[in-house]
Amino acid sequence: MLMGIRLKIPRNHCRGESLRIRERLIRGEEAGVVAKAGLIAHGRGEAFDYLIGEASIPPAIFAARAAAASILLASRPVISVNGNVAALAPEALVRLSKATGAPLEVNLFYRTRRRERAVRSALLKAGAKEVLGVGERASATIPELFSDRRKVDPRGIYSADVVIVPLEDGDRAMALRKMGKFVIAVDLNPLSRTSQVADITIVDNVLRALPNIASAVEELRQLQKAELKGILERFDNRKNLSETLLFIRERLASIAKED
Amino acid sequence: MLMGIRLKIPRNHCRGESLRIRERLIRGEEAGVVAKAGLIAHGRGEAFDYLIGEASIPPAIFAARAAAASILLASRPVISVNGNVAALAPEALVRLSKATGAPLEVNLFYRTRRRERAVRSALLKAGAKEVLGVGERASATIPELFSDRRKVDPRGIYSADVVIVPLEDGDRAMALRKMGKFVIAVDLNPLSRTSQVADITIVDNVLRALPNIASAVEELRQLQKAELKGILERFDNRKNLSETLLFIRERLASIAKED
């Protein structure tokens, strides 16, 4: 029976923060950091962020903790940076890099010298000491990738064991997996290919997820290796993604409430 | 119990069509038809389109039929055209205009002479005979609106009784309602303010919704006024939006399937 259904829309939902972030991204596009396709990708993220309630939901916090454990266990963790995340969260990237010792590496789908430099300067402005993957340094190649994302730094992603990929495309996440890398993805769409192929998927806004990982790294730093491995073993990415979908379902249910 | 949950992701989902549409929009931005904020808005639409399965779901077909009835009952229906819909579906707009006799009127949030002309030429190229709302013709004003969307054509939206607004912002949909217009919105987000305030909300991609309305107009044309009124009276927008949300819920449930 669908009679008597009423919609319960949150009336005082504040769009201000979302509008400010949108403005930041448009300025990033004008500065050459963000690609036009990056603006469309951001819109997809906004919609999914809305569906999870624009907050870090329990599965995202759980995944960020598992990500922190895997980074602490890694020999060579690296953070891959694209235009959108550089425009949205440069400070959070630098904080995570400092907390983990993982270097920042520029990796762009639409790679031009101008964009490389624009992304690097956004990171340097936010306090980064070094940025990998710029110019001649991106001399190694990831097999099976046809976009410019295949170009990686031999000292960075190429030799990394754990790669943190905020806002990644599915092809590249898959290529990194095939190279034997352990992939930590941040992606607001729990159904995307990136989300499906990553070892750990954090379904959250990068502006919340990156600080969550950094805080978890600081908290877990004193643990023994065996304890960190225990945290990782208890994490099941498929199960965690299912819990995310169920969370969204329940949220829609509370909006479209039957009475 | 969340143990044993498995994800069932459609493996052969074809992203080709979605990528082609995305390319069309980026070309539209380069041609001055689409605003940068329009690219972000498109991404939001893509996410919701994905959630409904990139197909016209039953509530959308039902709403398109009610929309057709209201257009056939109208004295002065008008179709409001923004940059995104002009870039995505100019042919569908022209077909709907011809099927209904409703003129096309340019109405832009970020209005410049250049964009007005770019939108008009996209419509003329697709076969439109006349385009309202360009230049000096947009001389009337919708009360209570602060963006350039308040500028309307005295022969068009200003004196219309039914306004079809594919891809509208919530403030304008509300302002049109307050002027006593009957508002038909096409919006992929069933939770948006536009969706909530419109008289009839079609939660669908404009590329499917506009042809659906045109086909329904052609089919219902032979009906008597009383029969058309009957169709309209049986339509309840709040109930239809709730059914849309329930559809999305069920779809998420079938993906995150418990066993």
Side-chain angles (χ1 to χ4, degrees), chain A residues 3 5 9 25 42 46 85 116 120 125 131 151 160 162 169 199 226 242:
Chain A
M3 294 288 292
I5 284 173
I9 299 298
L25 208 73
H42 181 72
E46 277 186 356
V85 72
E116 276 181 0
R120 177 174 58 184
K125 213 173 132 190
V131 178
K151 293 182 187 166
V162 170
D169 70 272
D199 293 280
S242 290

Side-chain angles (χ1 to χ4, degrees), chain A residues 62-72 162 182 184 200 202 213 217 232:
Chain A
F62 192 56
R65 210 176 141 81
S70 71
I71 293 166
L72 287 167
V162 170
F182 187 92
I184 299 166
I200 297 177
I202 306 169
I213 305 172
V217 163
L232 253 188

Side-chain angles (χ1 to χ4, degrees), chain A residues 5 29 36 44 46 242, chain B residues 5 29 36 44 46 242:
Chain A
I5 284 173
E29 197 271 337
K36 287 189 203 298
R44 287 195 297 279
E46 277 186 356
S242 290
Chain B
I5 284 173
E29 197 271 339
K36 286 190 204 296
R44 287 194 297 278
E46 279 186 0
S242 290

Side-chain angles (χ1 to χ4, degrees), chain B residues 25-135:
Chain B
L25 208 73
I26 290 176
R27 282 201 307 275
E29 197 271 339
E30 286 159 357
V33 174
V34 173
K36 286 190 204 296
L39 294 178
I40 300 179
H42 181 71
R44 287 194 297 278
E46 279 186 0
F48 283 104
D49 203 5
Y50 192 82
L51 288 176
I52 61 171
E54 292 174 330
S56 295
I57 66 175
I61 292 166
F62 192 56
R65 211 176 141 80
S70 71
I71 293 166
L72 287 166
L73 286 165
S75 316
R76 298 176 68 93
V78 174
I79 304 165
S80 178
V81 178
N82 76 352
N84 279 35
V85 73
L88 289 173
E91 298 83 6
L93 286 168
V94 171
R95 181 185 159 202
L96 182 62
S97 174
K98 286 184 177 163
T100 57
L104 298 164
E105 173 167 341
V106 178
N107 189 275
L108 305 173
F109 191 88
Y110 302 99
R111 191 186 270 269
T112 62
R113 279 291 159 97
R114 182 170 168 250
R115 277 194 75 216
E116 276 181 1
R117 285 197 213 104
V119 170
R120 176 174 58 186
S121 62
L123 295 172
L124 294 176
K125 213 174 133 190
K129 293 275 167 278
E130 196 192 3
V131 179
L132 303 181
V134 178

